[in-house]
Amino acid sequence: MKKLLLILILAMSTVSCELFSKSYWDRVEKSEREEGRRCFKDSSGYYYCKDKYGNLVD
């Protein structure tokens, strides 16, 4: 049980460090720019993205 808990803590700390990494988000933003994707927040608080042709994308 202790080994499983330690492995879980290690995995969570590794993932959380990657999520807060500036270089990771710079790569994400660069790939979105290259694809022509732009994301917006509407008045009700929902986010949506459009490609360079104006189509909604995931």
Side-chain angles (χ1 to χ4, degrees):
M1 182 68 177
K2 288 182 182 180
K3 286 184 183 180
L4 181 61
L5 184 60
L6 288 174
I7 291 172
L8 182 63
I9 291 171
L10 178 63
M12 292 297 290
S13 64
T14 303
V15 170
S16 66
C17 288
E18 183 66 24
L19 287 177
F20 294 116
S21 169
K22 174 136 176 57
S23 62
Y24 171 75
W25 289 110
D26 289 341
R27 287 192 311 264
V28 169
E29 290 175 7
K30 181 182 177 191
S31 69
E32 287 180 352
R33 278 194 310 270
E34 289 172 353
E35 294 174 3
R37 183 183 307 162
R38 295 184 352 201
C39 297
F40 307 94
K41 182 179 178 182
D42 65 7
S43 60
S44 60
Y46 292 105
Y47 286 91
Y48 62 97
C49 297
K50 291 185 176 183
D51 63 7
K52 61 184 173 184
Y53 304 110
N55 301 318
L56 292 177
V57 293
D58 291 334

Short mmCIF file of all heavy atoms in Angstrom, two decimals:
data_model
loop_
_atom_site.label_atom_id
_atom_site.label_comp_id
_atom_site.label_asym_id
_atom_site.label_seq_id
_atom_site.Cartn_x
_atom_site.Cartn_y
_atom_site.Cartn_z
N MET A 1 0.82 -1.19 0.00
CA MET A 1 0.00 0.00 0.00
C MET A 1 0.87 1.26 0.00
O MET A 1 0.56 2.21 -0.70
CB MET A 1 -0.93 -0.03 1.22
CG MET A 1 -1.87 1.13 1.32
SD MET A 1 -3.06 1.05 -0.03
CE MET A 1 -4.04 2.43 0.37
N LYS A 2 1.95 1.26 0.78
CA LYS A 2 2.81 2.43 0.84
C LYS A 2 3.51 2.67 -0.49
O LYS A 2 3.67 3.82 -0.91
CB LYS A 2 3.85 2.27 1.95
CG LYS A 2 3.29 2.38 3.34
CD LYS A 2 4.37 2.25 4.39
CE LYS A 2 3.79 2.30 5.78
NZ LYS A 2 4.82 2.18 6.81
N LYS A 3 3.91 1.59 -1.16
CA LYS A 3 4.59 1.74 -2.44
C LYS A 3 3.65 2.36 -3.48
O LYS A 3 4.04 3.22 -4.24
CB LYS A 3 5.09 0.39 -2.95
CG LYS A 3 6.30 -0.13 -2.23
CD LYS A 3 6.76 -1.42 -2.86
CE LYS A 3 7.94 -1.99 -2.09
NZ LYS A 3 8.41 -3.25 -2.68
N LEU A 4 2.42 1.90 -3.48
CA LEU A 4 1.44 2.44 -4.42
C LEU A 4 1.20 3.92 -4.16
O LEU A 4 1.13 4.72 -5.10
CB LEU A 4 0.12 1.65 -4.31
CG LEU A 4 -1.00 2.09 -5.23
CD1 LEU A 4 -0.57 1.92 -6.68
CD2 LEU A 4 -2.23 1.28 -4.96
N LEU A 5 1.09 4.29 -2.92
CA LEU A 5 0.89 5.69 -2.56
C LEU A 5 2.09 6.54 -2.98
O LEU A 5 1.92 7.63 -3.53
CB LEU A 5 0.64 5.82 -1.06
CG LEU A 5 0.33 7.21 -0.54
CD1 LEU A 5 -0.93 7.75 -1.20
CD2 LEU A 5 0.18 7.18 0.96
N LEU A 6 3.29 6.05 -2.77
CA LEU A 6 4.48 6.79 -3.17
C LEU A 6 4.58 6.95 -4.69
O LEU A 6 4.93 8.01 -5.20
CB LEU A 6 5.74 6.11 -2.63
CG LEU A 6 5.96 6.22 -1.13
CD1 LEU A 6 7.15 5.38 -0.70
CD2 LEU A 6 6.16 7.67 -0.73
N ILE A 7 4.22 5.90 -5.41
CA ILE A 7 4.24 5.97 -6.88
C ILE A 7 3.21 6.97 -7.36
O ILE A 7 3.46 7.75 -8.27
CB ILE A 7 4.01 4.57 -7.49
CG1 ILE A 7 5.22 3.68 -7.21
CG2 ILE A 7 3.73 4.66 -8.97
CD1 ILE A 7 5.04 2.24 -7.60
N LEU A 8 2.05 6.97 -6.75
CA LEU A 8 1.00 7.91 -7.12
C LEU A 8 1.43 9.35 -6.85
O LEU A 8 1.22 10.23 -7.70
CB LEU A 8 -0.29 7.58 -6.34
CG LEU A 8 -1.49 8.45 -6.65
CD1 LEU A 8 -1.91 8.28 -8.10
CD2 LEU A 8 -2.63 8.11 -5.73
N ILE A 9 2.04 9.60 -5.74
CA ILE A 9 2.52 10.94 -5.41
C ILE A 9 3.59 11.39 -6.40
O ILE A 9 3.59 12.53 -6.87
CB ILE A 9 3.03 11.00 -3.96
CG1 ILE A 9 1.87 10.85 -2.99
CG2 ILE A 9 3.80 12.29 -3.70
CD1 ILE A 9 2.28 10.69 -1.55
N LEU A 10 4.49 10.50 -6.75
CA LEU A 10 5.54 10.82 -7.71
C LEU A 10 4.95 11.14 -9.08
O LEU A 10 5.34 12.12 -9.73
CB LEU A 10 6.53 9.66 -7.83
CG LEU A 10 7.66 9.84 -8.85
CD1 LEU A 10 8.54 11.01 -8.45
CD2 LEU A 10 8.46 8.57 -8.97
N ALA A 11 3.99 10.35 -9.50
CA ALA A 11 3.35 10.59 -10.80
C ALA A 11 2.61 11.92 -10.81
O ALA A 11 2.70 12.68 -11.78
CB ALA A 11 2.39 9.45 -11.12
N MET A 12 1.91 12.23 -9.76
CA MET A 12 1.16 13.49 -9.69
C MET A 12 2.10 14.70 -9.69
O MET A 12 1.81 15.70 -10.34
CB MET A 12 0.28 13.52 -8.44
CG MET A 12 -0.86 12.53 -8.47
SD MET A 12 -2.01 12.85 -9.80
CE MET A 12 -2.75 14.35 -9.21
N SER A 13 3.21 14.60 -8.99
CA SER A 13 4.14 15.73 -8.96
C SER A 13 4.79 15.92 -10.32
O SER A 13 5.00 17.05 -10.76
CB SER A 13 5.20 15.54 -7.88
OG SER A 13 6.00 14.41 -8.18
N THR A 14 5.07 14.85 -11.04
CA THR A 14 5.65 14.96 -12.38
C THR A 14 4.67 15.61 -13.33
O THR A 14 5.02 16.51 -14.10
CB THR A 14 6.05 13.57 -12.91
OG1 THR A 14 6.95 12.97 -11.98
CG2 THR A 14 6.69 13.66 -14.27
N VAL A 15 3.42 15.18 -13.31
CA VAL A 15 2.40 15.73 -14.20
C VAL A 15 2.14 17.20 -13.85
O VAL A 15 2.03 18.04 -14.75
CB VAL A 15 1.10 14.91 -14.11
CG1 VAL A 15 -0.04 15.60 -14.83
CG2 VAL A 15 1.34 13.52 -14.70
N SER A 16 2.03 17.53 -12.59
CA SER A 16 1.74 18.91 -12.21
C SER A 16 2.88 19.84 -12.59
O SER A 16 2.64 20.98 -12.98
CB SER A 16 1.43 19.01 -10.73
OG SER A 16 2.58 18.69 -9.96
N CYS A 17 4.12 19.38 -12.49
CA CYS A 17 5.24 20.23 -12.90
C CYS A 17 5.18 20.50 -14.40
O CYS A 17 5.49 21.61 -14.84
CB CYS A 17 6.57 19.56 -12.56
SG CYS A 17 6.92 19.56 -10.80
N GLU A 18 4.78 19.53 -15.18
CA GLU A 18 4.67 19.73 -16.63
C GLU A 18 3.55 20.70 -16.96
O GLU A 18 3.66 21.51 -17.87
CB GLU A 18 4.45 18.39 -17.33
CG GLU A 18 4.40 18.48 -18.83
CD GLU A 18 5.71 18.90 -19.48
OE1 GLU A 18 6.76 18.69 -18.87
OE2 GLU A 18 5.66 19.45 -20.59
N LEU A 19 2.45 20.65 -16.22
CA LEU A 19 1.32 21.54 -16.49
C LEU A 19 1.66 23.00 -16.23
O LEU A 19 1.12 23.89 -16.87
CB LEU A 19 0.11 21.14 -15.65
CG LEU A 19 -0.59 19.86 -16.08
CD1 LEU A 19 -1.71 19.55 -15.10
CD2 LEU A 19 -1.13 19.97 -17.48
N PHE A 20 2.57 23.25 -15.29
CA PHE A 20 2.92 24.62 -14.96
C PHE A 20 4.17 25.09 -15.69
O PHE A 20 4.64 26.20 -15.47
CB PHE A 20 3.11 24.78 -13.45
CG PHE A 20 1.83 24.58 -12.69
CD1 PHE A 20 1.71 23.53 -11.80
CD2 PHE A 20 0.76 25.43 -12.86
CE1 PHE A 20 0.53 23.33 -11.10
CE2 PHE A 20 -0.42 25.24 -12.17
CZ PHE A 20 -0.53 24.19 -11.28
N SER A 21 4.70 24.27 -16.58
CA SER A 21 5.91 24.61 -17.31
C SER A 21 5.62 25.63 -18.41
O SER A 21 4.75 25.42 -19.25
CB SER A 21 6.50 23.34 -17.92
OG SER A 21 7.52 23.66 -18.81
N LYS A 22 6.34 26.72 -18.41
CA LYS A 22 6.16 27.76 -19.42
C LYS A 22 6.52 27.24 -20.80
O LYS A 22 5.83 27.54 -21.78
CB LYS A 22 6.99 28.98 -19.07
CG LYS A 22 6.97 30.05 -20.14
CD LYS A 22 6.81 31.40 -19.57
CE LYS A 22 6.88 32.49 -20.59
NZ LYS A 22 5.95 32.41 -21.67
N SER A 23 7.57 26.45 -20.90
CA SER A 23 7.99 25.95 -22.22
C SER A 23 6.92 25.03 -22.83
O SER A 23 6.71 25.05 -24.05
CB SER A 23 9.32 25.22 -22.12
OG SER A 23 9.21 24.09 -21.28
N TYR A 24 6.22 24.26 -21.99
CA TYR A 24 5.16 23.40 -22.50
C TYR A 24 4.05 24.24 -23.11
O TYR A 24 3.58 23.98 -24.22
CB TYR A 24 4.60 22.52 -21.37
CG TYR A 24 3.36 21.76 -21.77
CD1 TYR A 24 3.44 20.65 -22.59
CD2 TYR A 24 2.10 22.17 -21.35
CE1 TYR A 24 2.31 19.96 -22.98
CE2 TYR A 24 0.96 21.50 -21.73
CZ TYR A 24 1.08 20.39 -22.53
OH TYR A 24 -0.06 19.72 -22.92
N TRP A 25 3.60 25.28 -22.40
CA TRP A 25 2.52 26.10 -22.90
C TRP A 25 2.95 26.94 -24.09
O TRP A 25 2.13 27.26 -24.96
CB TRP A 25 1.94 26.96 -21.78
CG TRP A 25 1.20 26.12 -20.82
CD1 TRP A 25 1.56 25.83 -19.54
CD2 TRP A 25 -0.02 25.40 -21.07
NE1 TRP A 25 0.64 24.98 -18.99
CE2 TRP A 25 -0.34 24.70 -19.89
CE3 TRP A 25 -0.85 25.27 -22.17
CZ2 TRP A 25 -1.46 23.89 -19.79
CZ3 TRP A 25 -1.98 24.46 -22.06
CH2 TRP A 25 -2.28 23.79 -20.89
N ASP A 26 4.23 27.29 -24.18
CA ASP A 26 4.73 27.96 -25.37
C ASP A 26 4.61 27.06 -26.59
O ASP A 26 4.23 27.51 -27.67
CB ASP A 26 6.18 28.40 -25.19
CG ASP A 26 6.33 29.55 -24.21
OD1 ASP A 26 5.32 30.24 -23.95
OD2 ASP A 26 7.45 29.74 -23.71
N ARG A 27 4.92 25.77 -26.43
CA ARG A 27 4.78 24.81 -27.54
C ARG A 27 3.33 24.65 -27.93
O ARG A 27 3.00 24.55 -29.12
CB ARG A 27 5.38 23.45 -27.15
CG ARG A 27 6.88 23.43 -27.10
CD ARG A 27 7.42 22.02 -26.99
NE ARG A 27 6.81 21.22 -25.95
CZ ARG A 27 7.28 21.04 -24.72
NH1 ARG A 27 8.41 21.64 -24.37
NH2 ARG A 27 6.66 20.28 -23.85
N VAL A 28 2.42 24.62 -26.96
CA VAL A 28 0.99 24.49 -27.25
C VAL A 28 0.51 25.70 -28.03
O VAL A 28 -0.19 25.56 -29.04
CB VAL A 28 0.18 24.32 -25.95
CG1 VAL A 28 -1.30 24.45 -26.20
CG2 VAL A 28 0.49 22.98 -25.30
N GLU A 29 0.86 26.89 -27.58
CA GLU A 29 0.44 28.11 -28.27
C GLU A 29 1.02 28.18 -29.68
O GLU A 29 0.34 28.60 -30.62
CB GLU A 29 0.85 29.33 -27.47
CG GLU A 29 0.05 29.50 -26.19
CD GLU A 29 0.56 30.66 -25.35
OE1 GLU A 29 1.45 31.41 -25.81
OE2 GLU A 29 0.05 30.80 -24.23
N LYS A 30 2.26 27.73 -29.85
CA LYS A 30 2.88 27.75 -31.17
C LYS A 30 2.14 26.81 -32.12
O LYS A 30 1.86 27.16 -33.27
CB LYS A 30 4.34 27.34 -31.08
CG LYS A 30 5.05 27.35 -32.39
CD LYS A 30 6.48 26.90 -32.26
CE LYS A 30 7.12 26.86 -33.64
NZ LYS A 30 8.41 26.21 -33.61
N SER A 31 1.78 25.61 -31.63
CA SER A 31 1.08 24.67 -32.50
C SER A 31 -0.31 25.18 -32.86
O SER A 31 -0.79 25.00 -33.97
CB SER A 31 0.99 23.29 -31.86
OG SER A 31 0.13 23.30 -30.75
N GLU A 32 -0.97 25.87 -31.92
CA GLU A 32 -2.28 26.45 -32.22
C GLU A 32 -2.17 27.56 -33.25
O GLU A 32 -3.01 27.68 -34.14
CB GLU A 32 -2.94 26.98 -30.94
CG GLU A 32 -3.44 25.89 -30.03
CD GLU A 32 -4.07 26.42 -28.76
OE1 GLU A 32 -4.00 27.65 -28.51
OE2 GLU A 32 -4.64 25.62 -28.02
N ARG A 33 -1.13 28.38 -33.16
CA ARG A 33 -0.93 29.44 -34.15
C ARG A 33 -0.67 28.84 -35.52
O ARG A 33 -1.18 29.33 -36.53
CB ARG A 33 0.23 30.34 -33.75
CG ARG A 33 -0.11 31.40 -32.75
CD ARG A 33 0.98 32.46 -32.66
NE ARG A 33 2.32 31.91 -32.49
CZ ARG A 33 2.89 31.66 -31.31
NH1 ARG A 33 2.22 31.91 -30.21
NH2 ARG A 33 4.10 31.16 -31.24
N GLU A 34 0.13 27.78 -35.57
CA GLU A 34 0.45 27.15 -36.85
C GLU A 34 -0.79 26.54 -37.49
O GLU A 34 -0.92 26.52 -38.71
CB GLU A 34 1.53 26.10 -36.67
CG GLU A 34 2.90 26.68 -36.37
CD GLU A 34 3.92 25.63 -36.01
OE1 GLU A 34 3.55 24.45 -35.84
OE2 GLU A 34 5.10 25.99 -35.89
N GLU A 35 -1.69 26.02 -36.67
CA GLU A 35 -2.93 25.44 -37.19
C GLU A 35 -3.97 26.51 -37.50
O GLU A 35 -4.98 26.23 -38.13
CB GLU A 35 -3.52 24.46 -36.18
CG GLU A 35 -2.68 23.23 -35.95
CD GLU A 35 -3.23 22.35 -34.85
OE1 GLU A 35 -4.31 22.68 -34.31
OE2 GLU A 35 -2.60 21.35 -34.53
N GLY A 36 -3.74 27.73 -37.05
CA GLY A 36 -4.69 28.81 -37.28
C GLY A 36 -5.85 28.78 -36.31
O GLY A 36 -6.89 29.36 -36.56
N ARG A 37 -5.68 28.13 -35.18
CA ARG A 37 -6.76 28.01 -34.19
C ARG A 37 -6.70 29.18 -33.21
O ARG A 37 -5.64 29.56 -32.74
CB ARG A 37 -6.59 26.70 -33.42
CG ARG A 37 -7.71 26.46 -32.43
CD ARG A 37 -7.50 25.21 -31.64
NE ARG A 37 -7.28 24.08 -32.52
CZ ARG A 37 -6.74 22.94 -32.12
NH1 ARG A 37 -6.34 22.79 -30.90
NH2 ARG A 37 -6.58 21.95 -32.97
N ARG A 38 -7.88 29.77 -32.94
CA ARG A 38 -7.99 30.83 -31.94
C ARG A 38 -9.12 30.46 -30.99
O ARG A 38 -10.16 30.00 -31.42
CB ARG A 38 -8.28 32.17 -32.60
CG ARG A 38 -7.15 32.63 -33.48
CD ARG A 38 -7.35 33.99 -34.08
NE ARG A 38 -8.67 34.54 -33.86
CZ ARG A 38 -9.21 35.48 -34.59
NH1 ARG A 38 -8.56 35.97 -35.61
NH2 ARG A 38 -10.41 35.95 -34.32
N CYS A 39 -8.91 30.70 -29.70
CA CYS A 39 -9.91 30.35 -28.70
C CYS A 39 -10.47 31.62 -28.05
O CYS A 39 -9.77 32.61 -27.88
CB CYS A 39 -9.31 29.44 -27.64
SG CYS A 39 -8.77 27.85 -28.32
N PHE A 40 -11.74 31.54 -27.69
CA PHE A 40 -12.46 32.67 -27.12
C PHE A 40 -13.28 32.22 -25.92
O PHE A 40 -13.58 31.05 -25.77
CB PHE A 40 -13.43 33.27 -28.16
CG PHE A 40 -12.78 33.61 -29.46
CD1 PHE A 40 -12.78 32.70 -30.50
CD2 PHE A 40 -12.15 34.82 -29.63
CE1 PHE A 40 -12.19 33.02 -31.71
CE2 PHE A 40 -11.54 35.14 -30.83
CZ PHE A 40 -11.57 34.23 -31.87
N LYS A 41 -13.69 33.19 -25.11
CA LYS A 41 -14.57 32.94 -23.98
C LYS A 41 -15.84 33.74 -24.22
O LYS A 41 -15.79 34.96 -24.42
CB LYS A 41 -13.91 33.36 -22.68
CG LYS A 41 -14.73 33.09 -21.44
CD LYS A 41 -13.97 33.52 -20.19
CE LYS A 41 -14.80 33.29 -18.96
NZ LYS A 41 -14.09 33.73 -17.75
N ASP A 42 -17.00 33.06 -24.21
CA ASP A 42 -18.25 33.79 -24.46
C ASP A 42 -18.78 34.40 -23.16
O ASP A 42 -18.20 34.24 -22.09
CB ASP A 42 -19.29 32.91 -25.15
CG ASP A 42 -19.77 31.76 -24.31
OD1 ASP A 42 -19.40 31.68 -23.12
OD2 ASP A 42 -20.51 30.92 -24.84
N SER A 43 -19.88 35.11 -23.26
CA SER A 43 -20.41 35.84 -22.10
C SER A 43 -20.89 34.95 -20.97
O SER A 43 -20.95 35.37 -19.83
CB SER A 43 -21.56 36.75 -22.55
OG SER A 43 -22.60 35.96 -23.11
N SER A 44 -21.22 33.69 -21.28
CA SER A 44 -21.67 32.77 -20.23
C SER A 44 -20.51 32.02 -19.57
O SER A 44 -20.72 31.23 -18.67
CB SER A 44 -22.68 31.77 -20.80
OG SER A 44 -22.08 31.01 -21.83
N GLY A 45 -19.27 32.27 -20.03
CA GLY A 45 -18.11 31.68 -19.40
C GLY A 45 -17.57 30.43 -20.10
O GLY A 45 -16.60 29.83 -19.63
N TYR A 46 -18.17 30.03 -21.20
CA TYR A 46 -17.70 28.86 -21.93
C TYR A 46 -16.61 29.25 -22.93
O TYR A 46 -16.65 30.32 -23.51
CB TYR A 46 -18.86 28.18 -22.68
CG TYR A 46 -19.86 27.55 -21.76
CD1 TYR A 46 -21.09 28.15 -21.54
CD2 TYR A 46 -19.57 26.36 -21.12
CE1 TYR A 46 -22.02 27.57 -20.69
CE2 TYR A 46 -20.48 25.78 -20.26
CZ TYR A 46 -21.70 26.38 -20.06
OH TYR A 46 -22.60 25.82 -19.21
N TYR A 47 -15.64 28.35 -23.10
CA TYR A 47 -14.58 28.56 -24.08
C TYR A 47 -14.89 27.79 -25.35
O TYR A 47 -15.44 26.70 -25.30
CB TYR A 47 -13.24 28.08 -23.52
CG TYR A 47 -12.68 29.00 -22.47
CD1 TYR A 47 -12.97 28.81 -21.13
CD2 TYR A 47 -11.86 30.06 -22.82
CE1 TYR A 47 -12.46 29.65 -20.16
CE2 TYR A 47 -11.34 30.91 -21.87
CZ TYR A 47 -11.64 30.71 -20.54
OH TYR A 47 -11.14 31.54 -19.59
N TYR A 48 -14.55 28.36 -26.48
CA TYR A 48 -14.69 27.68 -27.76
C TYR A 48 -13.54 28.11 -28.66
O TYR A 48 -12.94 29.17 -28.46
CB TYR A 48 -16.04 27.98 -28.40
CG TYR A 48 -16.26 29.43 -28.73
CD1 TYR A 48 -16.01 29.91 -30.02
CD2 TYR A 48 -16.71 30.33 -27.78
CE1 TYR A 48 -16.20 31.23 -30.35
CE2 TYR A 48 -16.90 31.65 -28.09
CZ TYR A 48 -16.65 32.11 -29.37
OH TYR A 48 -16.84 33.42 -29.69
N CYS A 49 -13.22 27.27 -29.63
CA CYS A 49 -12.11 27.56 -30.53
C CYS A 49 -12.59 27.50 -31.97
O CYS A 49 -13.48 26.71 -32.31
CB CYS A 49 -10.98 26.56 -30.34
SG CYS A 49 -10.26 26.62 -28.69
N LYS A 50 -11.97 28.33 -32.80
CA LYS A 50 -12.28 28.35 -34.23
C LYS A 50 -10.99 28.15 -35.01
O LYS A 50 -9.93 28.63 -34.59
CB LYS A 50 -12.90 29.68 -34.64
CG LYS A 50 -14.28 29.91 -34.09
CD LYS A 50 -14.86 31.19 -34.63
CE LYS A 50 -16.29 31.36 -34.16
NZ LYS A 50 -16.90 32.57 -34.73
N ASP A 51 -11.10 27.42 -36.13
CA ASP A 51 -9.92 27.28 -36.98
C ASP A 51 -9.81 28.49 -37.89
O ASP A 51 -10.59 29.44 -37.80
CB ASP A 51 -9.98 25.97 -37.77
CG ASP A 51 -11.14 25.88 -38.74
OD1 ASP A 51 -11.85 26.88 -38.92
OD2 ASP A 51 -11.33 24.80 -39.30
N LYS A 52 -8.81 28.49 -38.79
CA LYS A 52 -8.59 29.66 -39.63
C LYS A 52 -9.68 29.93 -40.62
O LYS A 52 -9.76 31.01 -41.20
CB LYS A 52 -7.25 29.52 -40.35
CG LYS A 52 -7.12 28.35 -41.25
CD LYS A 52 -5.72 28.26 -41.82
CE LYS A 52 -5.53 26.98 -42.61
NZ LYS A 52 -4.15 26.86 -43.08
N TYR A 53 -10.58 28.96 -40.80
CA TYR A 53 -11.71 29.14 -41.72
C TYR A 53 -12.99 29.55 -41.01
O TYR A 53 -14.03 29.74 -41.63
CB TYR A 53 -11.96 27.86 -42.52
CG TYR A 53 -10.74 27.41 -43.27
CD1 TYR A 53 -10.06 26.27 -42.88
CD2 TYR A 53 -10.26 28.13 -44.34
CE1 TYR A 53 -8.93 25.86 -43.55
CE2 TYR A 53 -9.13 27.74 -45.03
CZ TYR A 53 -8.47 26.59 -44.64
OH TYR A 53 -7.34 26.20 -45.29
N GLY A 54 -12.96 29.65 -39.67
CA GLY A 54 -14.12 30.06 -38.90
C GLY A 54 -14.97 28.91 -38.38
O GLY A 54 -16.01 29.12 -37.78
N ASN A 55 -14.53 27.66 -38.60
CA ASN A 55 -15.26 26.49 -38.11
C ASN A 55 -14.93 26.22 -36.66
O ASN A 55 -13.79 26.40 -36.24
CB ASN A 55 -14.91 25.26 -38.94
CG ASN A 55 -15.23 25.45 -40.40
OD1 ASN A 55 -16.26 26.00 -40.75
ND2 ASN A 55 -14.32 25.01 -41.25
N LEU A 56 -15.92 25.80 -35.87
CA LEU A 56 -15.67 25.43 -34.48
C LEU A 56 -14.88 24.14 -34.42
O LEU A 56 -15.17 23.18 -35.14
CB LEU A 56 -17.00 25.28 -33.74
CG LEU A 56 -17.82 26.55 -33.53
CD1 LEU A 56 -19.13 26.22 -32.85
CD2 LEU A 56 -17.05 27.55 -32.70
N VAL A 57 -13.88 24.09 -33.54
CA VAL A 57 -13.05 22.90 -33.37
C VAL A 57 -12.98 22.55 -31.89
O VAL A 57 -13.27 23.36 -31.03
CB VAL A 57 -11.63 23.11 -33.94
CG1 VAL A 57 -11.67 23.26 -35.43
CG2 VAL A 57 -10.96 24.29 -33.30
N ASP A 58 -12.58 21.32 -31.61
CA ASP A 58 -12.43 20.87 -30.22
C ASP A 58 -11.17 21.40 -29.60
O ASP A 58 -10.19 21.59 -30.15
CB ASP A 58 -12.41 19.36 -30.15
CG ASP A 58 -13.77 18.77 -30.50
OD1 ASP A 58 -14.76 19.46 -30.31
OD2 ASP A 58 -13.80 17.63 -30.96
#
